[in-house]
Amino acid sequence: MDEAEWQVRVELAALYRLVALFGWTDLIYTHISARVPGPEEHFLINPYGLYFDEITASSLVKVDLDGNILQAPAWNDSTGGDTEYGINPAGFTIHSAIHGARPDAKFVIHLHTADGIAVSAHKEGLLPLNQHSLTVIPRLAYHDYEGIALHLDERERLVADLGDKSLMLLRNHGTLALGPTAAHAFLGIHALERSATLQVRTLSAGRNGILLAPEHAQAEVRQQVANHRPDHAKLPWAGLLRRLARESPGYDA
């Protein structure tokens, strides 16, 4: 593979390790993907069966938008034999839909966290309760639950609901973020997950006396988010990679 693909593999493996470090995993049942640089519509996703803290740049699976596995490295299993893992079918449905429709979606993160699922099942969705949620709401879309995402015809509806947004609550299911870089995708999912946790904690005290952000402040934050510098992700991403080097080395192998 060329240097550009290897760099994307390293960044995607870093995302998997970070999701594990932040405690956002659901065993093996969520997924993060990245578009492979080049004219072909190929993307990388996790081998279905590895835990996120086991994933490395070289262990990722390359697929096309039709679901054909183009490269699936063998992995040494607990018996000492080599196992070639496939991919999560529901993961393929969701990620192929977004990569196929959104050229700006270089990285896509989908999670099943407790707080994310809780808010996804809240009739009112994400509420304007705090500064974190106010920065998320202008970027947030919703997609109604249709069952486990095994039917490819759901892709059209998922993409239509996503529109031009970069964050999504999949109703009764979980959270999703996309971005032009690994850094943007991670900061997006971090903001959405943080907002969900803050909402769960706030509403745990009861609805009486809950203070929503004033309308004028919501409008101000919408404008501020629209004018946000595109390079804002560089500083926290560099720090996150330093943390990985200390706490989860080897992802770039």
Side-chain angles (χ1 to χ4, degrees), residues 97-130:
I98 297 172
H99 285 302
R102 291 280 299 270
D104 60 321
K106 300 294 177 30
F107 292 84
V108 181
I109 303 173
H110 169 51
L111 303 178
H112 298 161
T113 64
D115 293 337
I117 293 173
V119 173
S120 78
H122 195 278
K123 185 176 182 179
E124 296 175 79
L126 188 65
L127 297 169
L129 291 169
N130 50 69

PDB file of all heavy atoms in Angstrom, residues 97-130:
ATOM      1  N   ALA A  97     -23.137   3.598   3.341  1.00  0.00           N
ATOM      2  CA  ALA A  97     -24.110   4.630   2.982  1.00  0.00           C
ATOM      3  C   ALA A  97     -23.481   6.009   3.051  1.00  0.00           C
ATOM      4  O   ALA A  97     -23.603   6.822   2.121  1.00  0.00           O
ATOM      5  CB  ALA A  97     -25.321   4.550   3.909  1.00  0.00           C
ATOM      6  N   ILE A  98     -22.791   6.284   4.143  1.00  0.00           N
ATOM      7  CA  ILE A  98     -22.245   7.628   4.355  1.00  0.00           C
ATOM      8  C   ILE A  98     -21.039   7.877   3.462  1.00  0.00           C
ATOM      9  O   ILE A  98     -20.933   8.939   2.822  1.00  0.00           O
ATOM     10  CB  ILE A  98     -21.912   7.826   5.838  1.00  0.00           C
ATOM     11  CG1 ILE A  98     -23.194   7.722   6.672  1.00  0.00           C
ATOM     12  CG2 ILE A  98     -21.234   9.180   6.066  1.00  0.00           C
ATOM     13  CD1 ILE A  98     -22.974   7.701   8.160  1.00  0.00           C
ATOM     14  N   HIS A  99     -20.131   6.917   3.371  1.00  0.00           N
ATOM     15  CA  HIS A  99     -18.965   7.112   2.505  1.00  0.00           C
ATOM     16  C   HIS A  99     -19.383   7.254   1.042  1.00  0.00           C
ATOM     17  O   HIS A  99     -18.757   7.997   0.284  1.00  0.00           O
ATOM     18  CB  HIS A  99     -17.990   5.941   2.653  1.00  0.00           C
ATOM     19  CG  HIS A  99     -17.194   5.969   3.915  1.00  0.00           C
ATOM     20  ND1 HIS A  99     -16.376   7.020   4.261  1.00  0.00           N
ATOM     21  CD2 HIS A  99     -17.086   5.061   4.931  1.00  0.00           C
ATOM     22  CE1 HIS A  99     -15.796   6.773   5.418  1.00  0.00           C
ATOM     23  NE2 HIS A  99     -16.216   5.593   5.853  1.00  0.00           N
ATOM     24  N   GLY A 100     -20.436   6.555   0.647  1.00  0.00           N
ATOM     25  CA  GLY A 100     -20.883   6.623  -0.736  1.00  0.00           C
ATOM     26  C   GLY A 100     -21.561   7.926  -1.095  1.00  0.00           C
ATOM     27  O   GLY A 100     -21.578   8.319  -2.265  1.00  0.00           O
ATOM     28  N   ALA A 101     -22.131   8.603  -0.097  1.00  0.00           N
ATOM     29  CA  ALA A 101     -22.914   9.811  -0.374  1.00  0.00           C
ATOM     30  C   ALA A 101     -22.227  11.104   0.013  1.00  0.00           C
ATOM     31  O   ALA A 101     -22.577  12.169  -0.506  1.00  0.00           O
ATOM     32  CB  ALA A 101     -24.258   9.722   0.364  1.00  0.00           C
ATOM     33  N   ARG A 102     -21.277  11.033   0.937  1.00  0.00           N
ATOM     34  CA  ARG A 102     -20.663  12.246   1.467  1.00  0.00           C
ATOM     35  C   ARG A 102     -19.149  12.229   1.235  1.00  0.00           C
ATOM     36  O   ARG A 102     -18.406  11.632   2.024  1.00  0.00           O
ATOM     37  CB  ARG A 102     -20.971  12.374   2.967  1.00  0.00           C
ATOM     38  CG  ARG A 102     -22.434  12.663   3.302  1.00  0.00           C
ATOM     39  CD  ARG A 102     -22.760  14.145   3.123  1.00  0.00           C
ATOM     40  NE  ARG A 102     -21.956  14.964   3.994  1.00  0.00           N
ATOM     41  CZ  ARG A 102     -22.320  15.319   5.246  1.00  0.00           C
ATOM     42  NH1 ARG A 102     -23.466  14.907   5.735  1.00  0.00           N
ATOM     43  NH2 ARG A 102     -21.538  16.093   5.970  1.00  0.00           N
ATOM     44  N   PRO A 103     -18.654  12.878   0.186  1.00  0.00           N
ATOM     45  CA  PRO A 103     -17.204  12.903  -0.061  1.00  0.00           C
ATOM     46  C   PRO A 103     -16.407  13.505   1.095  1.00  0.00           C
ATOM     47  O   PRO A 103     -15.222  13.197   1.255  1.00  0.00           O
ATOM     48  CB  PRO A 103     -17.084  13.769  -1.326  1.00  0.00           C
ATOM     49  CG  PRO A 103     -18.411  13.671  -1.992  1.00  0.00           C
ATOM     50  CD  PRO A 103     -19.406  13.550  -0.878  1.00  0.00           C
ATOM     51  N   ASP A 104     -17.056  14.362   1.893  1.00  0.00           N
ATOM     52  CA  ASP A 104     -16.358  14.982   3.022  1.00  0.00           C
ATOM     53  C   ASP A 104     -16.249  14.047   4.221  1.00  0.00           C
ATOM     54  O   ASP A 104     -15.551  14.358   5.186  1.00  0.00           O
ATOM     55  CB  ASP A 104     -17.076  16.262   3.449  1.00  0.00           C
ATOM     56  CG  ASP A 104     -18.509  16.013   3.888  1.00  0.00           C
ATOM     57  OD1 ASP A 104     -19.195  15.181   3.252  1.00  0.00           O
ATOM     58  OD2 ASP A 104     -18.962  16.647   4.859  1.00  0.00           O
ATOM     59  N   ALA A 105     -16.927  12.918   4.169  1.00  0.00           N
ATOM     60  CA  ALA A 105     -16.921  11.964   5.288  1.00  0.00           C
ATOM     61  C   ALA A 105     -15.722  11.034   5.144  1.00  0.00           C
ATOM     62  O   ALA A 105     -15.848   9.869   4.756  1.00  0.00           O
ATOM     63  CB  ALA A 105     -18.221  11.174   5.330  1.00  0.00           C
ATOM     64  N   LYS A 106     -14.552  11.544   5.487  1.00  0.00           N
ATOM     65  CA  LYS A 106     -13.348  10.723   5.389  1.00  0.00           C
ATOM     66  C   LYS A 106     -13.271   9.721   6.545  1.00  0.00           C
ATOM     67  O   LYS A 106     -12.704   8.649   6.412  1.00  0.00           O
ATOM     68  CB  LYS A 106     -12.105  11.623   5.388  1.00  0.00           C
ATOM     69  CG  LYS A 106     -12.069  12.617   4.229  1.00  0.00           C
ATOM     70  CD  LYS A 106     -11.924  11.905   2.911  1.00  0.00           C
ATOM     71  CE  LYS A 106     -11.941  12.818   1.696  1.00  0.00           C
ATOM     72  NZ  LYS A 106     -11.438  14.144   1.845  1.00  0.00           N
ATOM     73  N   PHE A 107     -13.827  10.096   7.703  1.00  0.00           N
ATOM     74  CA  PHE A 107     -13.867   9.222   8.874  1.00  0.00           C
ATOM     75  C   PHE A 107     -15.289   9.234   9.439  1.00  0.00           C
ATOM     76  O   PHE A 107     -15.913  10.300   9.513  1.00  0.00           O
ATOM     77  CB  PHE A 107     -12.885   9.696   9.952  1.00  0.00           C
ATOM     78  CG  PHE A 107     -11.444   9.549   9.567  1.00  0.00           C
ATOM     79  CD1 PHE A 107     -10.810  10.521   8.799  1.00  0.00           C
ATOM     80  CD2 PHE A 107     -10.708   8.437   9.962  1.00  0.00           C
ATOM     81  CE1 PHE A 107      -9.484  10.383   8.433  1.00  0.00           C
ATOM     82  CE2 PHE A 107      -9.374   8.296   9.595  1.00  0.00           C
ATOM     83  CZ  PHE A 107      -8.764   9.268   8.831  1.00  0.00           C
ATOM     84  N   VAL A 108     -15.783   8.055   9.833  1.00  0.00           N
ATOM     85  CA  VAL A 108     -17.139   7.919  10.381  1.00  0.00           C
ATOM     86  C   VAL A 108     -17.064   7.070  11.645  1.00  0.00           C
ATOM     87  O   VAL A 108     -16.503   5.970  11.616  1.00  0.00           O
ATOM     88  CB  VAL A 108     -18.100   7.267   9.370  1.00  0.00           C
ATOM     89  CG1 VAL A 108     -19.506   7.172   9.957  1.00  0.00           C
ATOM     90  CG2 VAL A 108     -18.127   8.057   8.056  1.00  0.00           C
ATOM     91  N   ILE A 109     -17.624   7.586  12.737  1.00  0.00           N
ATOM     92  CA  ILE A 109     -17.616   6.896  14.033  1.00  0.00           C
ATOM     93  C   ILE A 109     -19.054   6.618  14.453  1.00  0.00           C
ATOM     94  O   ILE A 109     -19.894   7.530  14.462  1.00  0.00           O
ATOM     95  CB  ILE A 109     -16.940   7.756  15.120  1.00  0.00           C
ATOM     96  CG1 ILE A 109     -15.516   8.135  14.710  1.00  0.00           C
ATOM     97  CG2 ILE A 109     -16.942   7.025  16.469  1.00  0.00           C
ATOM     98  CD1 ILE A 109     -14.859   9.133  15.659  1.00  0.00           C
ATOM     99  N   HIS A 110     -19.348   5.375  14.815  1.00  0.00           N
ATOM    100  CA  HIS A 110     -20.684   5.009  15.313  1.00  0.00           C
ATOM    101  C   HIS A 110     -20.528   4.252  16.626  1.00  0.00           C
ATOM    102  O   HIS A 110     -19.765   3.283  16.703  1.00  0.00           O
ATOM    103  CB  HIS A 110     -21.425   4.142  14.296  1.00  0.00           C
ATOM    104  CG  HIS A 110     -22.682   3.528  14.840  1.00  0.00           C
ATOM    105  ND1 HIS A 110     -23.653   4.257  15.476  1.00  0.00           N
ATOM    106  CD2 HIS A 110     -23.109   2.238  14.839  1.00  0.00           C
ATOM    107  CE1 HIS A 110     -24.634   3.450  15.856  1.00  0.00           C
ATOM    108  NE2 HIS A 110     -24.320   2.218  15.483  1.00  0.00           N
ATOM    109  N   LEU A 111     -21.257   4.707  17.667  1.00  0.00           N
ATOM    110  CA  LEU A 111     -21.125   4.142  19.012  1.00  0.00           C
ATOM    111  C   LEU A 111     -22.478   3.743  19.597  1.00  0.00           C
ATOM    112  O   LEU A 111     -23.523   4.259  19.195  1.00  0.00           O
ATOM    113  CB  LEU A 111     -20.461   5.165  19.943  1.00  0.00           C
ATOM    114  CG  LEU A 111     -19.092   5.708  19.531  1.00  0.00           C
ATOM    115  CD1 LEU A 111     -18.612   6.742  20.540  1.00  0.00           C
ATOM    116  CD2 LEU A 111     -18.074   4.581  19.384  1.00  0.00           C
ATOM    117  N   HIS A 112     -22.410   2.852  20.603  1.00  0.00           N
ATOM    118  CA  HIS A 112     -23.576   2.432  21.392  1.00  0.00           C
ATOM    119  C   HIS A 112     -23.294   2.705  22.867  1.00  0.00           C
ATOM    120  O   HIS A 112     -23.190   1.770  23.655  1.00  0.00           O
ATOM    121  CB  HIS A 112     -23.839   0.933  21.260  1.00  0.00           C
ATOM    122  CG  HIS A 112     -24.155   0.434  19.903  1.00  0.00           C
ATOM    123  ND1 HIS A 112     -24.037  -0.900  19.571  1.00  0.00           N
ATOM    124  CD2 HIS A 112     -24.575   1.064  18.792  1.00  0.00           C
ATOM    125  CE1 HIS A 112     -24.374  -1.076  18.303  1.00  0.00           C
ATOM    126  NE2 HIS A 112     -24.710   0.108  17.804  1.00  0.00           N
ATOM    127  N   THR A 113     -23.115   3.923  23.270  1.00  0.00           N
ATOM    128  CA  THR A 113     -22.874   4.198  24.686  1.00  0.00           C
ATOM    129  C   THR A 113     -24.190   4.266  25.451  1.00  0.00           C
ATOM    130  O   THR A 113     -25.252   4.518  24.869  1.00  0.00           O
ATOM    131  CB  THR A 113     -22.128   5.525  24.864  1.00  0.00           C
ATOM    132  OG1 THR A 113     -22.967   6.583  24.400  1.00  0.00           O
ATOM    133  CG2 THR A 113     -20.810   5.528  24.103  1.00  0.00           C
ATOM    134  N   ALA A 114     -24.106   4.078  26.776  1.00  0.00           N
ATOM    135  CA  ALA A 114     -25.325   4.104  27.598  1.00  0.00           C
ATOM    136  C   ALA A 114     -26.024   5.457  27.499  1.00  0.00           C
ATOM    137  O   ALA A 114     -27.245   5.535  27.284  1.00  0.00           O
ATOM    138  CB  ALA A 114     -24.969   3.785  29.048  1.00  0.00           C
ATOM    139  N   ASP A 115     -25.271   6.544  27.654  1.00  0.00           N
ATOM    140  CA  ASP A 115     -25.894   7.862  27.627  1.00  0.00           C
ATOM    141  C   ASP A 115     -26.327   8.249  26.224  1.00  0.00           C
ATOM    142  O   ASP A 115     -27.368   8.901  26.044  1.00  0.00           O
ATOM    143  CB  ASP A 115     -24.925   8.908  28.183  1.00  0.00           C
ATOM    144  CG  ASP A 115     -24.657   8.724  29.667  1.00  0.00           C
ATOM    145  OD1 ASP A 115     -25.504   8.110  30.356  1.00  0.00           O
ATOM    146  OD2 ASP A 115     -23.603   9.170  30.144  1.00  0.00           O
ATOM    147  N   GLY A 116     -25.551   7.879  25.222  1.00  0.00           N
ATOM    148  CA  GLY A 116     -25.944   8.175  23.846  1.00  0.00           C
ATOM    149  C   GLY A 116     -27.235   7.482  23.466  1.00  0.00           C
ATOM    150  O   GLY A 116     -28.129   8.093  22.851  1.00  0.00           O
ATOM    151  N   ILE A 117     -27.367   6.214  23.837  1.00  0.00           N
ATOM    152  CA  ILE A 117     -28.606   5.489  23.543  1.00  0.00           C
ATOM    153  C   ILE A 117     -29.767   6.078  24.333  1.00  0.00           C
ATOM    154  O   ILE A 117     -30.890   6.211  23.818  1.00  0.00           O
ATOM    155  CB  ILE A 117     -28.434   3.993  23.846  1.00  0.00           C
ATOM    156  CG1 ILE A 117     -27.426   3.372  22.871  1.00  0.00           C
ATOM    157  CG2 ILE A 117     -29.769   3.261  23.753  1.00  0.00           C
ATOM    158  CD1 ILE A 117     -27.054   1.945  23.195  1.00  0.00           C
ATOM    159  N   ALA A 118     -29.519   6.451  25.585  1.00  0.00           N
ATOM    160  CA  ALA A 118     -30.587   7.027  26.409  1.00  0.00           C
ATOM    161  C   ALA A 118     -31.160   8.285  25.763  1.00  0.00           C
ATOM    162  O   ALA A 118     -32.383   8.446  25.659  1.00  0.00           O
ATOM    163  CB  ALA A 118     -30.057   7.332  27.805  1.00  0.00           C
ATOM    164  N   VAL A 119     -30.287   9.175  25.311  1.00  0.00           N
ATOM    165  CA  VAL A 119     -30.768  10.415  24.699  1.00  0.00           C
ATOM    166  C   VAL A 119     -31.392  10.140  23.335  1.00  0.00           C
ATOM    167  O   VAL A 119     -32.355  10.799  22.939  1.00  0.00           O
ATOM    168  CB  VAL A 119     -29.631  11.447  24.605  1.00  0.00           C
ATOM    169  CG1 VAL A 119     -30.059  12.681  23.831  1.00  0.00           C
ATOM    170  CG2 VAL A 119     -29.183  11.844  26.005  1.00  0.00           C
ATOM    171  N   SER A 120     -30.873   9.134  22.617  1.00  0.00           N
ATOM    172  CA  SER A 120     -31.458   8.806  21.318  1.00  0.00           C
ATOM    173  C   SER A 120     -32.899   8.329  21.455  1.00  0.00           C
ATOM    174  O   SER A 120     -33.686   8.437  20.509  1.00  0.00           O
ATOM    175  CB  SER A 120     -30.624   7.731  20.612  1.00  0.00           C
ATOM    176  OG  SER A 120     -30.881   6.434  21.132  1.00  0.00           O
ATOM    177  N   ALA A 121     -33.247   7.804  22.624  1.00  0.00           N
ATOM    178  CA  ALA A 121     -34.600   7.323  22.877  1.00  0.00           C
ATOM    179  C   ALA A 121     -35.480   8.377  23.541  1.00  0.00           C
ATOM    180  O   ALA A 121     -36.650   8.115  23.819  1.00  0.00           O
ATOM    181  CB  ALA A 121     -34.551   6.071  23.757  1.00  0.00           C
ATOM    182  N   HIS A 122     -34.932   9.559  23.796  1.00  0.00           N
ATOM    183  CA  HIS A 122     -35.699  10.650  24.398  1.00  0.00           C
ATOM    184  C   HIS A 122     -36.493  11.347  23.309  1.00  0.00           C
ATOM    185  O   HIS A 122     -35.949  11.749  22.285  1.00  0.00           O
ATOM    186  CB  HIS A 122     -34.745  11.638  25.088  1.00  0.00           C
ATOM    187  CG  HIS A 122     -35.413  12.587  26.010  1.00  0.00           C
ATOM    188  ND1 HIS A 122     -36.025  13.725  25.587  1.00  0.00           N
ATOM    189  CD2 HIS A 122     -35.576  12.563  27.356  1.00  0.00           C
ATOM    190  CE1 HIS A 122     -36.536  14.386  26.612  1.00  0.00           C
ATOM    191  NE2 HIS A 122     -36.275  13.689  27.698  1.00  0.00           N
ATOM    192  N   LYS A 123     -37.794  11.487  23.520  1.00  0.00           N
ATOM    193  CA  LYS A 123     -38.680  12.026  22.479  1.00  0.00           C
ATOM    194  C   LYS A 123     -38.215  13.379  21.975  1.00  0.00           C
ATOM    195  O   LYS A 123     -38.298  13.682  20.774  1.00  0.00           O
ATOM    196  CB  LYS A 123     -40.110  12.121  23.019  1.00  0.00           C
ATOM    197  CG  LYS A 123     -41.133  12.554  21.979  1.00  0.00           C
ATOM    198  CD  LYS A 123     -42.542  12.527  22.558  1.00  0.00           C
ATOM    199  CE  LYS A 123     -43.564  12.915  21.501  1.00  0.00           C
ATOM    200  NZ  LYS A 123     -44.956  12.882  22.045  1.00  0.00           N
ATOM    201  N   GLU A 124     -37.705  14.227  22.876  1.00  0.00           N
ATOM    202  CA  GLU A 124     -37.287  15.570  22.492  1.00  0.00           C
ATOM    203  C   GLU A 124     -35.855  15.622  21.963  1.00  0.00           C
ATOM    204  O   GLU A 124     -35.381  16.685  21.561  1.00  0.00           O
ATOM    205  CB  GLU A 124     -37.430  16.515  23.680  1.00  0.00           C
ATOM    206  CG  GLU A 124     -38.871  16.686  24.153  1.00  0.00           C
ATOM    207  CD  GLU A 124     -38.945  17.540  25.410  1.00  0.00           C
ATOM    208  OE1 GLU A 124     -38.851  18.769  25.273  1.00  0.00           O
ATOM    209  OE2 GLU A 124     -39.070  16.963  26.514  1.00  0.00           O
ATOM    210  N   GLY A 125     -35.180  14.487  21.965  1.00  0.00           N
ATOM    211  CA  GLY A 125     -33.810  14.458  21.475  1.00  0.00           C
ATOM    212  C   GLY A 125     -32.868  15.216  22.382  1.00  0.00           C
ATOM    213  O   GLY A 125     -33.061  15.283  23.601  1.00  0.00           O
ATOM    214  N   LEU A 126     -31.847  15.797  21.802  1.00  0.00           N
ATOM    215  CA  LEU A 126     -30.865  16.551  22.581  1.00  0.00           C
ATOM    216  C   LEU A 126     -31.421  17.937  22.881  1.00  0.00           C
ATOM    217  O   LEU A 126     -31.789  18.685  21.974  1.00  0.00           O
ATOM    218  CB  LEU A 126     -29.546  16.663  21.812  1.00  0.00           C
ATOM    219  CG  LEU A 126     -28.381  17.263  22.596  1.00  0.00           C
ATOM    220  CD1 LEU A 126     -27.983  16.355  23.762  1.00  0.00           C
ATOM    221  CD2 LEU A 126     -27.187  17.499  21.680  1.00  0.00           C
ATOM    222  N   LEU A 127     -31.434  18.290  24.146  1.00  0.00           N
ATOM    223  CA  LEU A 127     -32.020  19.550  24.595  1.00  0.00           C
ATOM    224  C   LEU A 127     -30.944  20.628  24.757  1.00  0.00           C
ATOM    225  O   LEU A 127     -29.794  20.324  25.079  1.00  0.00           O
ATOM    226  CB  LEU A 127     -32.728  19.336  25.937  1.00  0.00           C
ATOM    227  CG  LEU A 127     -33.910  18.372  25.925  1.00  0.00           C
ATOM    228  CD1 LEU A 127     -34.346  18.046  27.348  1.00  0.00           C
ATOM    229  CD2 LEU A 127     -35.060  18.941  25.121  1.00  0.00           C
ATOM    230  N   PRO A 128     -31.304  21.901  24.585  1.00  0.00           N
ATOM    231  CA  PRO A 128     -30.345  23.004  24.756  1.00  0.00           C
ATOM    232  C   PRO A 128     -30.130  23.339  26.231  1.00  0.00           C
ATOM    233  O   PRO A 128     -30.478  24.409  26.715  1.00  0.00           O
ATOM    234  CB  PRO A 128     -31.020  24.155  23.995  1.00  0.00           C
ATOM    235  CG  PRO A 128     -32.483  23.890  24.136  1.00  0.00           C
ATOM    236  CD  PRO A 128     -32.625  22.392  24.110  1.00  0.00           C
ATOM    237  N   LEU A 129     -29.478  22.411  26.929  1.00  0.00           N
ATOM    238  CA  LEU A 129     -29.328  22.529  28.373  1.00  0.00           C
ATOM    239  C   LEU A 129     -28.028  23.202  28.800  1.00  0.00           C
ATOM    240  O   LEU A 129     -27.923  23.677  29.931  1.00  0.00           O
ATOM    241  CB  LEU A 129     -29.384  21.131  29.011  1.00  0.00           C
ATOM    242  CG  LEU A 129     -30.734  20.419  28.958  1.00  0.00           C
ATOM    243  CD1 LEU A 129     -30.566  18.961  29.363  1.00  0.00           C
ATOM    244  CD2 LEU A 129     -31.729  21.119  29.876  1.00  0.00           C
ATOM    245  N   ASN A 130     -27.031  23.207  27.924  1.00  0.00           N
ATOM    246  CA  ASN A 130     -25.708  23.669  28.333  1.00  0.00           C
ATOM    247  C   ASN A 130     -24.901  24.060  27.097  1.00  0.00           C
ATOM    248  O   ASN A 130     -25.332  23.835  25.958  1.00  0.00           O
ATOM    249  CB  ASN A 130     -24.985  22.580  29.130  1.00  0.00           C
ATOM    250  CG  ASN A 130     -25.013  21.258  28.404  1.00  0.00           C
ATOM    251  OD1 ASN A 130     -24.373  21.101  27.366  1.00  0.00           O
ATOM    252  ND2 ASN A 130     -25.777  20.299  28.918  1.00  0.00           N
TER     253      ASN A 130
END
